[in-house]
Amino acid sequence: MMRAWWQAQSERDRRTLAVGAFAVALLLGWALVWHPLALRRDALEQEVASRRDDLATVERGTAQIAQQHRVGQRARGDRAGKSLLALADATAREAGLGEAIRHVEPAGARNVKVSFEGANFDALAQWMETLAGGYGVEATELSADRADGAGLVNARVTLQDAP
């Protein structure tokens, strides 16, 4: 039936229909195959660029962590054999917090709890920074309440030794 209809058309009409069918086939191929693939490729290129940025950020962070770990390990060796308990007490006194220290007690294999009353907050913060940067000791918990006097706090700090 289709063949009979096709044969019934003039040569000029058959050529026009063939060119039109070819053009429709090209448009359908572009719309259903090429264009979606091109869009997906662009999206994947953007995702790859984003992942490369993420990887660069992670690599920078890894380098910083490794550097801090080396500093902490080096500093840990500079403690002259002091335990975390002795280090916390000695450095707190050196930081001017000796009068405010109430308790220094072990809280596990690698932890020490230090309690202060009427401690200068700025000195306390600087002390914790010195422990972290110079000895690789982290303050894992801090609880502070306002005390009588400007800039004074009652604080409880849990310190954790570097692994």
Side-chain angles (χ1 to χ4, degrees), residues 102-132:
R102 290 300 165 249
H103 302 287
V104 180
E105 56 191 34
R110 294 179 37 225
N111 295 337
V112 168
K113 288 187 179 182
V114 185
S115 298
F116 299 93
E117 286 183 17
N120 180 293
F121 181 78
D122 292 336
L124 183 67
Q126 183 60 44
W127 171 69
M128 289 187 296
E129 180 64 29
T130 300
L131 285 173

PDB file of all heavy atoms in Angstrom, residues 102-132:
ATOM      1  N   ARG A 102      42.158  25.335  90.828  1.00  0.00           N
ATOM      2  CA  ARG A 102      41.560  24.687  91.987  1.00  0.00           C
ATOM      3  C   ARG A 102      41.838  23.195  91.975  1.00  0.00           C
ATOM      4  O   ARG A 102      42.126  22.617  93.015  1.00  0.00           O
ATOM      5  CB  ARG A 102      40.042  24.931  92.037  1.00  0.00           C
ATOM      6  CG  ARG A 102      39.663  26.351  92.363  1.00  0.00           C
ATOM      7  CD  ARG A 102      40.231  26.761  93.736  1.00  0.00           C
ATOM      8  NE  ARG A 102      40.179  28.200  93.902  1.00  0.00           N
ATOM      9  CZ  ARG A 102      41.220  29.001  93.928  1.00  0.00           C
ATOM     10  NH1 ARG A 102      42.427  28.534  93.798  1.00  0.00           N
ATOM     11  NH2 ARG A 102      41.086  30.291  94.089  1.00  0.00           N
ATOM     12  N   HIS A 103      41.729  22.556  90.813  1.00  0.00           N
ATOM     13  CA  HIS A 103      41.951  21.111  90.714  1.00  0.00           C
ATOM     14  C   HIS A 103      42.621  20.798  89.383  1.00  0.00           C
ATOM     15  O   HIS A 103      42.259  21.364  88.358  1.00  0.00           O
ATOM     16  CB  HIS A 103      40.639  20.315  90.763  1.00  0.00           C
ATOM     17  CG  HIS A 103      39.836  20.539  91.989  1.00  0.00           C
ATOM     18  ND1 HIS A 103      40.182  20.032  93.206  1.00  0.00           N
ATOM     19  CD2 HIS A 103      38.676  21.220  92.183  1.00  0.00           C
ATOM     20  CE1 HIS A 103      39.283  20.402  94.105  1.00  0.00           C
ATOM     21  NE2 HIS A 103      38.354  21.126  93.501  1.00  0.00           N
ATOM     22  N   VAL A 104      43.547  19.873  89.418  1.00  0.00           N
ATOM     23  CA  VAL A 104      44.112  19.271  88.207  1.00  0.00           C
ATOM     24  C   VAL A 104      44.081  17.777  88.475  1.00  0.00           C
ATOM     25  O   VAL A 104      44.751  17.291  89.386  1.00  0.00           O
ATOM     26  CB  VAL A 104      45.564  19.737  87.940  1.00  0.00           C
ATOM     27  CG1 VAL A 104      46.098  19.085  86.670  1.00  0.00           C
ATOM     28  CG2 VAL A 104      45.639  21.246  87.841  1.00  0.00           C
ATOM     29  N   GLU A 105      43.255  17.058  87.721  1.00  0.00           N
ATOM     30  CA  GLU A 105      43.093  15.632  88.001  1.00  0.00           C
ATOM     31  C   GLU A 105      43.007  14.832  86.710  1.00  0.00           C
ATOM     32  O   GLU A 105      42.486  15.323  85.699  1.00  0.00           O
ATOM     33  CB  GLU A 105      41.849  15.392  88.856  1.00  0.00           C
ATOM     34  CG  GLU A 105      40.586  15.931  88.247  1.00  0.00           C
ATOM     35  CD  GLU A 105      39.408  15.930  89.210  1.00  0.00           C
ATOM     36  OE1 GLU A 105      39.615  16.145  90.413  1.00  0.00           O
ATOM     37  OE2 GLU A 105      38.286  15.719  88.730  1.00  0.00           O
ATOM     38  N   PRO A 106      43.527  13.621  86.722  1.00  0.00           N
ATOM     39  CA  PRO A 106      43.443  12.778  85.523  1.00  0.00           C
ATOM     40  C   PRO A 106      41.993  12.386  85.255  1.00  0.00           C
ATOM     41  O   PRO A 106      41.196  12.229  86.178  1.00  0.00           O
ATOM     42  CB  PRO A 106      44.296  11.558  85.870  1.00  0.00           C
ATOM     43  CG  PRO A 106      44.475  11.581  87.345  1.00  0.00           C
ATOM     44  CD  PRO A 106      44.233  12.974  87.818  1.00  0.00           C
ATOM     45  N   ALA A 107      41.688  12.234  83.986  1.00  0.00           N
ATOM     46  CA  ALA A 107      40.331  11.830  83.590  1.00  0.00           C
ATOM     47  C   ALA A 107      40.421  10.765  82.505  1.00  0.00           C
ATOM     48  O   ALA A 107      39.768  10.846  81.473  1.00  0.00           O
ATOM     49  CB  ALA A 107      39.547  13.034  83.100  1.00  0.00           C
ATOM     50  N   GLY A 108      41.271   9.795  82.698  1.00  0.00           N
ATOM     51  CA  GLY A 108      41.464   8.748  81.709  1.00  0.00           C
ATOM     52  C   GLY A 108      42.932   8.677  81.312  1.00  0.00           C
ATOM     53  O   GLY A 108      43.779   9.409  81.836  1.00  0.00           O
ATOM     54  N   ALA A 109      43.229   7.798  80.374  1.00  0.00           N
ATOM     55  CA  ALA A 109      44.614   7.557  79.982  1.00  0.00           C
ATOM     56  C   ALA A 109      45.252   8.770  79.323  1.00  0.00           C
ATOM     57  O   ALA A 109      46.433   9.044  79.538  1.00  0.00           O
ATOM     58  CB  ALA A 109      44.672   6.361  79.031  1.00  0.00           C
ATOM     59  N   ARG A 110      44.491   9.514  78.533  1.00  0.00           N
ATOM     60  CA  ARG A 110      45.055  10.647  77.800  1.00  0.00           C
ATOM     61  C   ARG A 110      44.354  11.955  78.112  1.00  0.00           C
ATOM     62  O   ARG A 110      44.531  12.928  77.376  1.00  0.00           O
ATOM     63  CB  ARG A 110      44.948  10.366  76.296  1.00  0.00           C
ATOM     64  CG  ARG A 110      45.811   9.211  75.832  1.00  0.00           C
ATOM     65  CD  ARG A 110      45.678   8.912  74.352  1.00  0.00           C
ATOM     66  NE  ARG A 110      45.520  10.088  73.540  1.00  0.00           N
ATOM     67  CZ  ARG A 110      44.618  10.188  72.561  1.00  0.00           C
ATOM     68  NH1 ARG A 110      43.814   9.210  72.287  1.00  0.00           N
ATOM     69  NH2 ARG A 110      44.536  11.290  71.838  1.00  0.00           N
ATOM     70  N   ASN A 111      43.570  12.020  79.163  1.00  0.00           N
ATOM     71  CA  ASN A 111      42.803  13.223  79.478  1.00  0.00           C
ATOM     72  C   ASN A 111      43.107  13.738  80.882  1.00  0.00           C
ATOM     73  O   ASN A 111      43.405  12.961  81.786  1.00  0.00           O
ATOM     74  CB  ASN A 111      41.296  12.955  79.389  1.00  0.00           C
ATOM     75  CG  ASN A 111      40.858  12.633  77.982  1.00  0.00           C
ATOM     76  OD1 ASN A 111      41.516  12.998  77.018  1.00  0.00           O
ATOM     77  ND2 ASN A 111      39.757  11.930  77.851  1.00  0.00           N
ATOM     78  N   VAL A 112      42.993  15.051  81.038  1.00  0.00           N
ATOM     79  CA  VAL A 112      43.158  15.706  82.334  1.00  0.00           C
ATOM     80  C   VAL A 112      42.074  16.768  82.449  1.00  0.00           C
ATOM     81  O   VAL A 112      41.786  17.471  81.478  1.00  0.00           O
ATOM     82  CB  VAL A 112      44.558  16.372  82.430  1.00  0.00           C
ATOM     83  CG1 VAL A 112      44.641  17.289  83.625  1.00  0.00           C
ATOM     84  CG2 VAL A 112      45.634  15.329  82.494  1.00  0.00           C
ATOM     85  N   LYS A 113      41.468  16.871  83.637  1.00  0.00           N
ATOM     86  CA  LYS A 113      40.482  17.925  83.895  1.00  0.00           C
ATOM     87  C   LYS A 113      41.129  18.978  84.786  1.00  0.00           C
ATOM     88  O   LYS A 113      41.751  18.648  85.799  1.00  0.00           O
ATOM     89  CB  LYS A 113      39.240  17.362  84.584  1.00  0.00           C
ATOM     90  CG  LYS A 113      38.389  16.533  83.668  1.00  0.00           C
ATOM     91  CD  LYS A 113      37.088  16.136  84.328  1.00  0.00           C
ATOM     92  CE  LYS A 113      36.256  15.325  83.344  1.00  0.00           C
ATOM     93  NZ  LYS A 113      34.972  14.962  83.909  1.00  0.00           N
ATOM     94  N   VAL A 114      40.978  20.233  84.398  1.00  0.00           N
ATOM     95  CA  VAL A 114      41.540  21.348  85.162  1.00  0.00           C
ATOM     96  C   VAL A 114      40.387  22.280  85.509  1.00  0.00           C
ATOM     97  O   VAL A 114      39.605  22.659  84.635  1.00  0.00           O
ATOM     98  CB  VAL A 114      42.613  22.102  84.342  1.00  0.00           C
ATOM     99  CG1 VAL A 114      43.271  23.175  85.191  1.00  0.00           C
ATOM    100  CG2 VAL A 114      43.653  21.147  83.791  1.00  0.00           C
ATOM    101  N   SER A 115      40.289  22.655  86.777  1.00  0.00           N
ATOM    102  CA  SER A 115      39.244  23.568  87.238  1.00  0.00           C
ATOM    103  C   SER A 115      39.886  24.872  87.687  1.00  0.00           C
ATOM    104  O   SER A 115      40.916  24.874  88.364  1.00  0.00           O
ATOM    105  CB  SER A 115      38.472  22.964  88.413  1.00  0.00           C
ATOM    106  OG  SER A 115      37.824  21.785  88.016  1.00  0.00           O
ATOM    107  N   PHE A 116      39.255  25.977  87.305  1.00  0.00           N
ATOM    108  CA  PHE A 116      39.733  27.311  87.669  1.00  0.00           C
ATOM    109  C   PHE A 116      38.610  28.080  88.344  1.00  0.00           C
ATOM    110  O   PHE A 116      37.445  27.917  87.984  1.00  0.00           O
ATOM    111  CB  PHE A 116      40.142  28.100  86.411  1.00  0.00           C
ATOM    112  CG  PHE A 116      41.259  27.480  85.625  1.00  0.00           C
ATOM    113  CD1 PHE A 116      40.999  26.616  84.573  1.00  0.00           C
ATOM    114  CD2 PHE A 116      42.573  27.774  85.924  1.00  0.00           C
ATOM    115  CE1 PHE A 116      42.025  26.072  83.835  1.00  0.00           C
ATOM    116  CE2 PHE A 116      43.611  27.224  85.195  1.00  0.00           C
ATOM    117  CZ  PHE A 116      43.339  26.365  84.138  1.00  0.00           C
ATOM    118  N   GLU A 117      38.965  28.951  89.280  1.00  0.00           N
ATOM    119  CA  GLU A 117      38.007  29.883  89.890  1.00  0.00           C
ATOM    120  C   GLU A 117      38.605  31.274  89.809  1.00  0.00           C
ATOM    121  O   GLU A 117      39.734  31.496  90.246  1.00  0.00           O
ATOM    122  CB  GLU A 117      37.725  29.517  91.349  1.00  0.00           C
ATOM    123  CG  GLU A 117      36.848  28.301  91.494  1.00  0.00           C
ATOM    124  CD  GLU A 117      36.518  28.010  92.945  1.00  0.00           C
ATOM    125  OE1 GLU A 117      36.695  28.896  93.809  1.00  0.00           O
ATOM    126  OE2 GLU A 117      36.090  26.878  93.221  1.00  0.00           O
ATOM    127  N   GLY A 118      37.865  32.184  89.232  1.00  0.00           N
ATOM    128  CA  GLY A 118      38.310  33.562  89.114  1.00  0.00           C
ATOM    129  C   GLY A 118      39.494  33.729  88.168  1.00  0.00           C
ATOM    130  O   GLY A 118      40.356  34.572  88.386  1.00  0.00           O
ATOM    131  N   ALA A 119      39.518  32.958  87.110  1.00  0.00           N
ATOM    132  CA  ALA A 119      40.618  33.024  86.136  1.00  0.00           C
ATOM    133  C   ALA A 119      40.344  34.110  85.107  1.00  0.00           C
ATOM    134  O   ALA A 119      39.195  34.338  84.710  1.00  0.00           O
ATOM    135  CB  ALA A 119      40.774  31.685  85.434  1.00  0.00           C
ATOM    136  N   ASN A 120      41.402  34.760  84.672  1.00  0.00           N
ATOM    137  CA  ASN A 120      41.294  35.744  83.596  1.00  0.00           C
ATOM    138  C   ASN A 120      40.999  34.988  82.307  1.00  0.00           C
ATOM    139  O   ASN A 120      41.769  34.104  81.905  1.00  0.00           O
ATOM    140  CB  ASN A 120      42.605  36.532  83.479  1.00  0.00           C
ATOM    141  CG  ASN A 120      42.541  37.557  82.381  1.00  0.00           C
ATOM    142  OD1 ASN A 120      42.475  37.205  81.214  1.00  0.00           O
ATOM    143  ND2 ASN A 120      42.577  38.821  82.761  1.00  0.00           N
ATOM    144  N   PHE A 121      39.892  35.347  81.653  1.00  0.00           N
ATOM    145  CA  PHE A 121      39.470  34.601  80.471  1.00  0.00           C
ATOM    146  C   PHE A 121      40.494  34.683  79.351  1.00  0.00           C
ATOM    147  O   PHE A 121      40.787  33.688  78.692  1.00  0.00           O
ATOM    148  CB  PHE A 121      38.100  35.082  79.973  1.00  0.00           C
ATOM    149  CG  PHE A 121      37.630  34.319  78.772  1.00  0.00           C
ATOM    150  CD1 PHE A 121      37.100  33.055  78.918  1.00  0.00           C
ATOM    151  CD2 PHE A 121      37.748  34.848  77.494  1.00  0.00           C
ATOM    152  CE1 PHE A 121      36.682  32.329  77.818  1.00  0.00           C
ATOM    153  CE2 PHE A 121      37.332  34.134  76.393  1.00  0.00           C
ATOM    154  CZ  PHE A 121      36.797  32.871  76.554  1.00  0.00           C
ATOM    155  N   ASP A 122      41.064  35.873  79.127  1.00  0.00           N
ATOM    156  CA  ASP A 122      42.056  36.027  78.063  1.00  0.00           C
ATOM    157  C   ASP A 122      43.283  35.157  78.329  1.00  0.00           C
ATOM    158  O   ASP A 122      43.811  34.512  77.409  1.00  0.00           O
ATOM    159  CB  ASP A 122      42.471  37.491  77.912  1.00  0.00           C
ATOM    160  CG  ASP A 122      41.337  38.364  77.384  1.00  0.00           C
ATOM    161  OD1 ASP A 122      40.429  37.815  76.717  1.00  0.00           O
ATOM    162  OD2 ASP A 122      41.361  39.584  77.631  1.00  0.00           O
ATOM    163  N   ALA A 123      43.737  35.106  79.566  1.00  0.00           N
ATOM    164  CA  ALA A 123      44.887  34.269  79.914  1.00  0.00           C
ATOM    165  C   ALA A 123      44.543  32.789  79.738  1.00  0.00           C
ATOM    166  O   ALA A 123      45.377  31.997  79.267  1.00  0.00           O
ATOM    167  CB  ALA A 123      45.325  34.543  81.346  1.00  0.00           C
ATOM    168  N   LEU A 124      43.314  32.422  80.079  1.00  0.00           N
ATOM    169  CA  LEU A 124      42.872  31.035  79.923  1.00  0.00           C
ATOM    170  C   LEU A 124      42.858  30.635  78.446  1.00  0.00           C
ATOM    171  O   LEU A 124      43.360  29.566  78.075  1.00  0.00           O
ATOM    172  CB  LEU A 124      41.478  30.873  80.537  1.00  0.00           C
ATOM    173  CG  LEU A 124      40.873  29.470  80.527  1.00  0.00           C
ATOM    174  CD1 LEU A 124      41.666  28.551  81.430  1.00  0.00           C
ATOM    175  CD2 LEU A 124      39.419  29.530  80.972  1.00  0.00           C
ATOM    176  N   ALA A 125      42.321  31.522  77.610  1.00  0.00           N
ATOM    177  CA  ALA A 125      42.273  31.234  76.173  1.00  0.00           C
ATOM    178  C   ALA A 125      43.689  31.138  75.599  1.00  0.00           C
ATOM    179  O   ALA A 125      43.986  30.253  74.791  1.00  0.00           O
ATOM    180  CB  ALA A 125      41.470  32.305  75.446  1.00  0.00           C
ATOM    181  N   GLN A 126      44.572  32.028  76.011  1.00  0.00           N
ATOM    182  CA  GLN A 126      45.961  31.995  75.536  1.00  0.00           C
ATOM    183  C   GLN A 126      46.657  30.725  76.008  1.00  0.00           C
ATOM    184  O   GLN A 126      47.425  30.117  75.270  1.00  0.00           O
ATOM    185  CB  GLN A 126      46.716  33.240  76.023  1.00  0.00           C
ATOM    186  CG  GLN A 126      48.136  33.314  75.508  1.00  0.00           C
ATOM    187  CD  GLN A 126      48.203  33.362  73.996  1.00  0.00           C
ATOM    188  OE1 GLN A 126      47.452  34.069  73.351  1.00  0.00           O
ATOM    189  NE2 GLN A 126      49.100  32.582  73.419  1.00  0.00           N
ATOM    190  N   TRP A 127      46.385  30.293  77.228  1.00  0.00           N
ATOM    191  CA  TRP A 127      46.958  29.062  77.764  1.00  0.00           C
ATOM    192  C   TRP A 127      46.547  27.861  76.918  1.00  0.00           C
ATOM    193  O   TRP A 127      47.374  27.029  76.552  1.00  0.00           O
ATOM    194  CB  TRP A 127      46.522  28.902  79.223  1.00  0.00           C
ATOM    195  CG  TRP A 127      46.854  27.571  79.841  1.00  0.00           C
ATOM    196  CD1 TRP A 127      48.095  27.088  80.149  1.00  0.00           C
ATOM    197  CD2 TRP A 127      45.930  26.561  80.229  1.00  0.00           C
ATOM    198  NE1 TRP A 127      47.998  25.851  80.711  1.00  0.00           N
ATOM    199  CE2 TRP A 127      46.673  25.489  80.774  1.00  0.00           C
ATOM    200  CE3 TRP A 127      44.539  26.454  80.184  1.00  0.00           C
ATOM    201  CZ2 TRP A 127      46.075  24.338  81.251  1.00  0.00           C
ATOM    202  CZ3 TRP A 127      43.944  25.310  80.673  1.00  0.00           C
ATOM    203  CH2 TRP A 127      44.707  24.266  81.201  1.00  0.00           C
ATOM    204  N   MET A 128      45.243  27.779  76.578  1.00  0.00           N
ATOM    205  CA  MET A 128      44.761  26.667  75.754  1.00  0.00           C
ATOM    206  C   MET A 128      45.398  26.707  74.366  1.00  0.00           C
ATOM    207  O   MET A 128      45.753  25.674  73.799  1.00  0.00           O
ATOM    208  CB  MET A 128      43.234  26.686  75.659  1.00  0.00           C
ATOM    209  CG  MET A 128      42.558  26.305  76.948  1.00  0.00           C
ATOM    210  SD  MET A 128      40.762  26.124  76.838  1.00  0.00           S
ATOM    211  CE  MET A 128      40.263  27.780  76.426  1.00  0.00           C
ATOM    212  N   GLU A 129      45.581  27.905  73.818  1.00  0.00           N
ATOM    213  CA  GLU A 129      46.223  28.050  72.513  1.00  0.00           C
ATOM    214  C   GLU A 129      47.682  27.601  72.582  1.00  0.00           C
ATOM    215  O   GLU A 129      48.183  26.927  71.679  1.00  0.00           O
ATOM    216  CB  GLU A 129      46.132  29.504  72.039  1.00  0.00           C
ATOM    217  CG  GLU A 129      46.762  29.755  70.695  1.00  0.00           C
ATOM    218  CD  GLU A 129      46.084  29.005  69.563  1.00  0.00           C
ATOM    219  OE1 GLU A 129      44.875  28.731  69.643  1.00  0.00           O
ATOM    220  OE2 GLU A 129      46.784  28.689  68.590  1.00  0.00           O
ATOM    221  N   THR A 130      48.367  27.959  73.659  1.00  0.00           N
ATOM    222  CA  THR A 130      49.762  27.545  73.840  1.00  0.00           C
ATOM    223  C   THR A 130      49.869  26.029  73.934  1.00  0.00           C
ATOM    224  O   THR A 130      50.759  25.424  73.328  1.00  0.00           O
ATOM    225  CB  THR A 130      50.352  28.195  75.115  1.00  0.00           C
ATOM    226  OG1 THR A 130      50.296  29.608  74.966  1.00  0.00           O
ATOM    227  CG2 THR A 130      51.781  27.748  75.359  1.00  0.00           C
ATOM    228  N   LEU A 131      48.967  25.413  74.675  1.00  0.00           N
ATOM    229  CA  LEU A 131      48.978  23.951  74.779  1.00  0.00           C
ATOM    230  C   LEU A 131      48.753  23.296  73.419  1.00  0.00           C
ATOM    231  O   LEU A 131      49.419  22.320  73.067  1.00  0.00           O
ATOM    232  CB  LEU A 131      47.912  23.470  75.764  1.00  0.00           C
ATOM    233  CG  LEU A 131      48.224  23.663  77.247  1.00  0.00           C
ATOM    234  CD1 LEU A 131      47.000  23.305  78.085  1.00  0.00           C
ATOM    235  CD2 LEU A 131      49.418  22.835  77.658  1.00  0.00           C
ATOM    236  N   ALA A 132      47.813  23.834  72.657  1.00  0.00           N
ATOM    237  CA  ALA A 132      47.511  23.241  71.350  1.00  0.00           C
ATOM    238  C   ALA A 132      48.667  23.445  70.368  1.00  0.00           C
ATOM    239  O   ALA A 132      49.092  22.503  69.696  1.00  0.00           O
ATOM    240  CB  ALA A 132      46.230  23.848  70.791  1.00  0.00           C
TER     241      ALA A 132
END
